[in-house]
Amino acid sequence: MYNSKVIGVGKYLPEQVVTNFDLMKMMETSDEWIKERTGIVERRFAGEGETTSLMGAEASKEALKMAGLQPEDVDFIIFATLSPDYYFPGSGCPMQTHLGLTGIGALDIRNQCSGFVYGMATADQFIKTGMYQTILLVGAEVHSRGLNLSTEGRDVAVIFGDGAGAVVLTATEDENKGVLTSHLHADGRHVEKLWLENPGSASNPYVSKEMIDNGSVYPYMNGRYVFKHAVTKFPEVIHEALQKTGYSTDDVDMVIPHQANERITEAVQQRLGLPREKVFRNIHKYGNTTAASIPIALSECVEDGRIKQDSLVCLASFGSGFTWASSLIRW
Ligand code: ACO
């Protein structure tokens, strides 16, 4: 059995910065409301021609460069997104083409904000068994084109942003390095509390003018309900990873929670009893980028030295489904 070690990280953020003040030109909202409720100051919106797969490819190039690898060295692609270029095929296929690859497997993961951590666990299992040696794992989102950017959609629209992150994982025989444990959960009773109902095959017809008129083609979130569950599940799944490996919160160098909302992160930090500097946040700059938020955060932490050789890093997520997950990694 092998362990899966992260040997490269990368990110891609579209150039177009959209501040809270810019949103105030599109809907009735205020910088104060958004900052106080979510911690978000600005986010990025994809420009013309920037797709989820294209941004994933750009993040991948950076991760491959850090790993000292060429795209041809990758054995398998895992792509996590809730905003694929197309309903089908998944974005892993077009991204493969952007990287100039053909033939290797490309698996899309549909686990929303938990997509990247689900992807990490999946990559780890393929590597552990020896089926693949080097895997490119990507989280990328273009939310901006699917939001209701009017006053009607403001409770959801102000939270989300676009971006991409990627990591390269490779097999190591060092059992103390890499992904030490992963924990994946879901509870489908909460599907309708955070979802994009239409278009979808549960509806007949699949798509209609009525769906556009009644707003069900835009994401819906019961904010308070999500908050209540998120602040419980994040600490629970982090403790699960620590218990499994015999570590305590004191041993962890960095917790990287999915950047859902500053208030959620703050509550999680307090419940874990950790100092602020050990629970990463960058939501003020990028908003909530769902599956991309953890790899973007990882990339920033490695860039500025907050994560280095031997750091013990805990990734944790919570999102639509509901799904929640953690992964403990020795860097
Ligand atoms: N700007 C100004 N006013 C707004 C906005 C906005 N963007 N959105 C809603 N409001 C108004 C509402 O209409 C409401 O007005 P009313 O009192 O006249 O009816 C008022 O603000 C308060 O609305 P609430 O929904 O009660 O606001 P709340 O204090 O609950 O904050 C929030 C909403 C920020 C969504 C909160 O519930 C929360 O933090 N939830 C966590 C959910 C979350 O952040 N999820 C992240 C995405 S999911 C994920 O990644 C897991």
Side-chain angles (χ1 to χ4, degrees), residues 14-30:
E15 262 180 41
Q16 192 184 170
V17 175
V18 177
T19 65
N20 294 342
F21 294 97
D22 292 327
L23 291 182
M24 286 163 62
K25 294 171 202 152
M26 305 174 204
M27 62 185 81
E28 280 172 38
T29 189
S30 67

Side-chain angles (χ1 to χ4, degrees), residues 215-228:
S216 63
V217 292
Y218 295 116
Y220 165 81
M221 174 179 72
N222 181 331
R224 290 185 180 198
Y225 194 89
V226 169
F227 187 94
K228 208 177 75 189

Side-chain angles (χ1 to χ4, degrees), residues 23 27-31 33-34 36-38 40 113-114 151 153-160 194 221-228 230 234 258-264 283 288-290 317-320 322-323:
L23 291 182
M27 62 185 81
E28 280 172 38
T29 189
S30 67
D31 177 53
W33 194 99
I34 301 170
E36 192 191 306
R37 303 291 214 291
T38 71
I40 300 165
C113 302
S114 297
T151 300
R154 65 184 179 176
D155 59 328
V156 172
V158 300
I159 294 176
F160 295 97
L194 179 57
M221 174 179 72
N222 181 331
R224 290 185 180 198
Y225 194 89
V226 169
F227 187 94
K228 208 177 75 189
F234 269 113
H258 156 54
Q259 303 291 298
N261 179 322
E262 171 58 28
R263 288 205 310 196
I264 293 176
I283 195 166
N288 179 333
T289 57
T290 53
S317 64
F318 177 86
S320 163
F322 289 155
T323 54

Side-chain angles (χ1 to χ4, degrees), residues 195-200 203 208-220:
W195 68 335
L196 179 62
E197 187 183 0
N198 285 310
S203 297
S208 67
K209 182 176 178 303
E210 195 191 339
M211 290 172 189
I212 297 169
D213 293 343
N214 69 22
S216 63
V217 292
Y218 295 116
Y220 165 81

Side-chain angles (χ1 to χ4, degrees), residues 18-232:
V18 177
T19 65
N20 294 342
F21 294 97
D22 292 327
L23 291 182
M24 286 163 62
K25 294 171 202 152
M26 305 174 204
M27 62 185 81
E28 280 172 38
T29 189
S30 67
D31 177 53
E32 195 188 2
W33 194 99
I34 301 170
K35 270 202 305 230
E36 192 191 306
R37 303 291 214 291
T38 71
I40 300 165
V41 176
E42 59 187 42
R43 74 285 292 141
R44 304 293 178 94
F45 278 8
E48 207 48 49
E50 272 178 324
T51 59
T52 301
S53 65
L54 203 67
M55 297 200 312
E58 290 305 315
S60 298
K61 286 177 195 166
E62 207 178 278
L64 286 164
K65 193 171 168 201
M66 179 185 281
L69 297 179
Q70 298 300 317
E72 300 72 48
D73 298 319
V74 173
D75 301 322
F76 192 61
I77 291 168
I78 301 181
F79 200 111
T81 185
L82 65 68
S83 53
D85 302 23
Y86 318 111
Y87 194 89
F88 73 86
S91 291
C93 294
M95 188 187 79
Q96 192 200 53
T97 308
H98 297 317
L99 292 174
L101 294 172
T102 51
I104 62 162
L107 170 72
D108 264 49
I109 298 245
R110 291 286 311 269
N111 288 89
Q112 305 68 249
C113 302
S114 297
F116 186 81
V117 186
Y118 266 69
M120 185 68 93
T122 308
D124 182 42
Q125 294 306 307
F126 279 127
I127 287 174
K128 270 197 162 57
T129 59
M131 182 162 173
Y132 296 120
Q133 193 181 355
T134 302
I135 296 183
L136 179 58
L137 168 62
V138 178
E141 306 284 1
V142 173
H143 285 300
S144 56
R145 296 181 190 128
L147 297 170
N148 181 354
L149 291 164
S150 72
T151 300
E152 238 179 359
R154 65 184 179 176
D155 59 328
V156 172
V158 300
I159 294 176
F160 295 97
D162 304 340
V167 302
V168 180
L169 291 142
T170 199
T172 173
E173 287 182 1
D174 184 347
E175 61 189 28
N176 300 314
K177 281 271 183 209
V179 179
L180 306 178
T181 189
S182 299
H183 302 270
L184 310 179
H185 298 279
D187 187 342
R189 288 175 300 177
H190 311 292
V191 164
E192 294 175 16
K193 302 298 182 188
L194 179 57
W195 68 335
L196 179 62
E197 187 183 0
N198 285 310
S201 59
S203 297
N204 193 4
Y206 164 84
V207 64
S208 67
K209 182 176 178 303
E210 195 191 339
M211 290 172 189
I212 297 169
D213 293 343
N214 69 22
S216 63
V217 292
Y218 295 116
Y220 165 81
M221 174 179 72
N222 181 331
R224 290 185 180 198
Y225 194 89
V226 169
F227 187 94
K228 208 177 75 189
H229 284 78
V231 298
T232 310

